[in-house]
Amino acid sequence: MPRRSTVHEKGLPDRTLVVDNGGYTIKAGFSSLSPTLRDCYTIPNCLARERDRKVWVGSEVESIRDFGEVAFRRPVEKGYLVNWEAEKAIWDSTFLTQKSKLHCDPHDTNLILTEAPNTTAALQTNCDQVVFEEYEFASYSRHIGPSLNAYHDIQTLFGEPPRASHLPAVPAECLLVIDSGFSHSTVTPLYKGRPVQQAVRRLDVGGKFLTNYLKELLSIRHYNLMNEEQLVNDAKEKISFVSDSFGQDLERTRKGMSKKGREAQASDADVVVDYVLPDYNAGVHGYMRPHDPSLAAKVKKMGAMANPGGVVEDFMTLGNERFAVPELLFNPGDVGMKEAGLPETVLQSLTGLPPGLWPAMLANIVVVGGNCLIDGFMERLETEIRQLSPTECVVRIAKATDPIKATWLGGAYMAADPAALKAMQVTRHDYLEYGSGWLSRVFAGAITR
């Protein structure tokens, strides 16, 4: 039996831990009266096993020097936390280790935790049990990740004056959040900080899907990299861009990389590049450089060459892979998926709302998640949403200041307001008295306290 709660009904502890439990990384930190991005720490949300079977947990993964054939185990699959055995090992290392910057005593700490939209009741119940029965946090609230972005000063993203610093963080009245992250991409309309459930839409294309697709392309055209997840993910982040004219760029790379199209190579220098593979022994990371046809021809003959520093290097010449991979966010049908692209998904989401809310939602679109950092993503997304939207509606789209930490910062803003925090949190005492079913109804807004 869990021991008796130390929290009294008269108030909550002063310390609040905000955890955005993402599929690729955990964004976590303690809230303060004036939270900033510097208060947020990013921890790899995985276990990693090297060739010698040594296992690295959470933040320890950042100390790995040789990622060759490292196997990753992630507790979050398709956006949902399904493996608490692995997640507990990461949380223990992050929150319970004395030397950790995020060390805390759960009995004297409030927890704000994110989850993916439309998480099943069984997974939610499992999460509640771990938080209150395994860790015994003093109080806890579970939020759909995109909903915390409503607590940002949204209008400053569109060039409006910032709100007064002494005012509490009141959620935006109407906000449409596009979250394109590691596991998936979601479109979540928010009304007064609450998600409109019937209008939430999901696209099963995220950073992991793009990485896996790039692994297949590179393994067919260059080297077998199916077991090199970290290497390919790093390459994807450095070489990818979203094309504003997919057909033309595809034709340019086809001509530029063929023997009959040598004259086109000069004009295609901005598309075709070389990606130099990392040398883990020398501590050299992979990097992108302009394509040199003569150098490429020489390497094809010799197999490898030494650069002026004497370090042996190898590289891949990449053309349409650069833009064909992120194109799946806009046209998942290219690989046979029967889903609409991200701009069409936005319009599908709007159809679940009353038409009277369309102008307000289209005028307040905020994009978060790591995929929006891909070059050309925001421009393409805005262009296609404008083309699909009603002509009488003003379309405004903005990228969060830090798309990766934006959800965490929104939660920290909410926690900085004692009244808002008290209204959201459920104490362990209440959980032990009323149970997990009551807890889920409170978090869904069906029960007001």
Side-chain angles (χ1 to χ4, degrees):
M1 289 291 294
R3 69 184 180 83
R4 187 176 180 84
S5 173
T6 59
V7 180
H8 303 288
E9 294 184 7
K10 62 181 181 181
L12 299 175
D14 294 331
R15 205 175 199 193
T16 300
L17 176 65
V18 183
V19 179
D20 179 15
N21 208 78
Y24 188 66
T25 57
I26 297 173
K27 282 70 68 177
F30 296 105
S31 177
S32 62
L33 292 178
S34 299
T36 66
L37 292 171
R38 292 189 298 273
D39 300 324
C40 178
Y41 296 91
T42 303
I43 303 101
N45 195 10
C46 64
L47 308 178
R49 188 180 66 184
E50 292 185 303
R51 294 189 189 98
D52 59 2
R53 308 188 75 82
K54 181 179 180 180
V55 177
W56 302 77
V57 180
S59 58
E60 297 174 352
V61 174
E62 297 173 342
S63 302
I64 298 177
R65 291 192 58 199
D66 185 353
F67 281 97
E69 297 184 5
V70 170
F72 292 92
R73 182 184 180 191
R74 302 188 185 277
V76 176
E77 291 289 340
K78 297 186 177 180
Y80 304 117
L81 179 50
V82 297
N83 187 341
W84 267 107
E85 180 185 1
E87 193 65 81
K88 277 187 85 283
I90 299 168
W91 279 27
D92 289 350
S93 173
T94 305
F95 304 132
L96 303 184
T97 304
Q98 288 287 344
K99 63 180 180 181
S100 173
K101 295 179 180 179
L102 294 173
H103 174 261
C104 66
D105 179 3
H107 304 104
D108 297 319
T109 306
N110 309 308
L111 175 65
I112 296 176
L113 182 65
T114 64
E115 65 177 0
N118 299 323
T119 300
T120 63
L123 293 177
Q124 291 176 333
T125 300
N126 195 17
C127 181
D128 299 339
Q129 291 173 348
V130 171
V131 168
F132 276 134
E133 298 179 20
E134 296 282 346
Y135 287 98
E136 301 183 353
F137 276 95
S139 74
Y140 155 68
S141 62
R142 176 169 32 80
H143 303 262
I144 291 177
S147 67
L148 294 179
N149 291 280
Y151 291 89
H152 284 278
D153 190 1
I154 298 300
Q155 296 309 313
T156 59
L157 299 176
F158 300 105
E160 302 293 335
R163 65 187 172 206
S165 58
H166 65 278
L167 295 177
V170 178
E173 185 173 10
C174 289
L175 183 65
L176 187 69
V177 179
I178 301 174
D179 185 352
S180 186
F182 178 72
S183 302
H184 56 238
S185 301
T186 57
V187 180
T188 308
L190 304 174
Y191 183 71
K192 295 183 178 179
R194 290 279 187 179
V196 184
Q197 290 292 348
Q198 70 270 19
V200 175
R201 296 293 183 271
R202 168 180 168 130
L203 171 63
D204 287 321
V205 177
K208 182 177 181 180
F209 190 95
L210 302 183
T211 299
N212 290 339
Y213 183 51
L214 182 58
K215 279 197 296 187
E216 293 180 6
L217 293 181
L218 297 181
S219 297
I220 293 171
R221 301 176 183 181
H222 299 280
Y223 304 101
N224 183 6
L225 299 175
M226 295 304 294
N227 295 325
E228 301 291 347
E229 178 180 340
Q230 186 68 22
L231 186 155
V232 177
N233 188 74
D234 184 61
K236 178 198 69 177
E237 294 177 353
K238 293 176 179 177
I239 60 100
S240 294
F241 73 93
V242 175
S243 172
D244 58 358
S245 180
F246 181 78
Q248 292 182 11
D249 284 339
L250 195 63
E251 184 66 15
R252 289 169 61 198
T253 54
R254 185 187 69 82
K255 289 182 178 180
M257 298 183 72
S258 66
K259 293 182 179 180
K260 295 182 180 180
R262 297 301 183 191
E263 67 280 358
Q265 288 182 349
S267 63
D268 297 335
D270 58 335
V271 177
V272 180
V273 299
D274 293 334
Y275 182 76
V276 180
L277 298 173
D279 186 345
Y280 296 123
N281 294 327
V284 178
H285 296 284
Y287 62 93
M288 181 181 69
R289 68 184 182 196
H291 175 54
D292 184 350
S294 61
L295 181 62
K298 184 176 181 180
V299 170
K300 284 181 180 179
K301 292 180 180 179
M302 300 177 60
M305 67 172 292
N307 65 12
V311 179
V312 176
E313 66 178 21
D314 199 0
F315 63 87
M316 303 177 291
T317 299
L318 305 177
N320 58 33
E321 299 94 341
R322 297 186 62 199
F323 55 88
V325 171
E327 182 68 18
L328 298 183
L329 290 166
F330 297 87
N331 289 296
D334 289 353
V335 290
M337 295 182 66
K338 296 182 180 180
E339 295 188 44
L342 202 49
E344 292 85 354
T345 303
V346 171
L347 271 294
Q348 289 178 4
S349 175
L350 290 178
T351 59
L353 299 171
L357 289 179
W358 287 30
M361 292 293 180
L362 287 171
N364 295 280
I365 301 176
V366 172
V367 186
V368 298
N371 291 330
C372 72
L373 296 174
I374 300 175
D375 289 343
F377 176 91
M378 291 298 299
E379 293 79 3
R380 171 81 175 271
L381 182 65
E382 181 173 0
T383 298
E384 296 200 4
I385 291 179
R386 287 183 185 277
Q387 292 172 349
L388 296 171
S389 301
T391 55
E392 65 272 15
C393 293
V394 175
V395 177
R396 297 192 307 173
I397 302 178
K399 179 172 64 176
T401 305
D402 188 329
I404 295 176
K405 296 181 178 181
T407 297
W408 177 90
L409 187 59
Y413 283 142
M414 184 195 74
D417 181 7
L421 181 66
K422 186 175 181 180
M424 293 289 184
Q425 296 294 105
V426 172
T427 65
R428 184 166 177 270
H429 174 82
D430 289 338
Y431 169 78
L432 295 176
E433 182 174 354
Y434 299 111
S436 184
W438 173 86
L439 194 69
S440 297
R441 292 195 294 274
V442 171
F443 291 156
I447 297 177
T448 56
R449 297 170 298 148

